[in-house]
Amino acid sequence: MKRFLATALAFAFLALSIGSPSTARDDKPAPMRFEWRLEGPAEQCGAHCRTWISATGVITEDTARAFEAFARANNVRGARLVLDSEGGSVLSAMALGRAIRNFEMTTTVGRTTLLPSGGNNVPRATITPNASCESMCAFILLAGTRRYVPTEARVLVHQIWLGAKSKRARETSYTADELQLVQRDVGRLVRYTAEMGGSMELIETALRVPPWEPMHRLNADELRRMKITTVDRLFEQDAPAPAVAITTPGPITTSAQGQR
């Protein structure tokens, strides 16, 4: 019985591969970048203006390294990471997720919007829930020690495919080497999900949706059941902002788009 279950799981996971359809799009969306943001307007939050890290864009093969560089330059431990991403590289997403967990960060889904400059050197911003966390972004979201998904935010999942073959997934042939690579990386994803305390239902749900169909949006019950949402708010009510120095250099960005 155990052998049958293991075999069935392995074959089911063949559909889960090493690239997201978003990584193969012709318009080449921008790679993920990380930026410290400070809450505003200043006259509203006063001495309790909160801070967070905005993580926006596609996960490429360089994203995890870009985050490591960002973390070396900034005190990110315990910070809040606000995600708005179409997904991307499986291996880089897992590496990024493990780094996020090591820094005991809180993760959420949201869109960071800069406010008009008030004449000082520190830009202010707001967070709105009008954002999406798609494909491998859901597994990055899983990496937070605290995880919050606003009701209006969208967490969408589907089968993750070979990036170069996602457009014609049904007509394209696949080699034995590609299938072997898929199985190896899916095994890593299963282990990662377990490490993060996630539910196997998350992967099972993703496997039900092929890349030629619309992605499945996880509802509030699924988010709780799959252990993606663990807290009811992003910021503790009336808690003061952490002492973080906000500077204005250009954001650290990834520089290349990868298929793995």
Side-chain angles (χ1 to χ4, degrees):
M1 183 66 176
K2 290 183 178 179
R3 179 176 297 179
F4 169 80
L5 291 174
T7 302
L9 184 62
F11 276 101
F13 277 141
L14 285 178
L16 193 63
S17 187
I18 55 175
S20 164
S22 60
T23 63
R25 284 171 25 174
D26 292 334
D27 55 358
K28 293 183 179 179
M32 182 171 282
R33 61 182 183 180
F34 305 95
E35 300 171 296
W36 272 113
R37 292 303 181 199
L38 177 64
E39 185 181 18
E43 57 271 18
Q44 291 186 11
C45 53
H48 299 284
C49 295
R50 301 174 170 100
T51 60
W52 65 89
I53 300 169
S54 171
T56 305
V58 172
I59 308 155
T60 74
E61 61 184 4
D62 292 332
T63 297
R65 288 189 292 270
F67 178 76
E68 290 170 0
F70 183 88
R72 286 194 295 270
N74 298 275
N75 179 18
V76 304
R77 182 164 297 279
R80 291 159 180 83
L81 186 73
V82 180
L83 293 158
D84 187 7
S85 174
E86 302 173 52
S89 165
V90 170
L91 297 184
S92 186
M94 290 190 291
L96 174 59
R98 289 188 171 105
I100 291 169
R101 178 58 61 90
N102 286 339
F103 285 113
E104 300 178 334
M105 302 176 75
T106 295
T107 53
T108 190
V109 182
R111 178 166 297 173
T112 298
T113 302
L114 287 177
L115 298 173
S117 175
N120 54 43
N121 293 326
V122 181
R124 299 279 180 157
T126 61
I127 302 174
T128 62
N130 182 27
S132 295
C133 185
E134 304 175 12
S135 189
M136 283 306 298
C137 178
F139 292 88
I140 295 176
L141 182 62
L142 196 63
T145 53
R146 299 170 67 255
R147 305 185 284 275
Y148 171 66
V149 180
T151 303
E152 302 89 340
R154 299 171 296 279
V155 179
L156 302 107
V157 297
H158 63 162
Q159 294 173 354
I160 303 168
W161 216 262
L162 289 163
K165 297 185 175 183
S166 62
K167 285 190 175 182
R168 298 180 58 85
R170 303 177 80 173
E171 297 84 8
T172 304
S173 61
Y174 300 88
T175 69
D177 286 340
E178 287 173 328
L179 296 182
Q180 184 275 333
L181 192 61
V182 169
Q183 291 193 66
R184 184 198 68 182
D185 288 346
V186 165
R188 292 173 174 174
L189 186 59
V190 172
R191 173 178 290 185
Y192 167 89
T193 302
E195 286 177 10
M196 298 299 120
S199 167
M200 290 298 108
E201 186 183 358
L202 171 60
I203 298 177
E204 179 188 3
T205 300
L207 286 173
R208 296 173 185 166
V209 186
W212 53 85
E213 293 183 4
M215 285 185 281
H216 172 71
R217 179 178 178 177
L218 301 177
N219 60 40
D221 181 61
E222 289 172 319
L223 290 168
R224 282 285 184 182
R225 200 168 63 241
M226 296 176 189
K227 303 178 182 178
I228 297 175
T229 294
T230 62
V231 296
D232 295 326
R233 61 172 62 94
L234 177 59
F235 296 102
E236 292 79 6
Q237 194 168 11
D238 299 325
V244 177
I246 305 293
T247 57
T248 58
I252 295 176
T253 67
T254 54
S255 59
Q257 292 211 298
Q259 299 299 323
R260 297 191 51 226

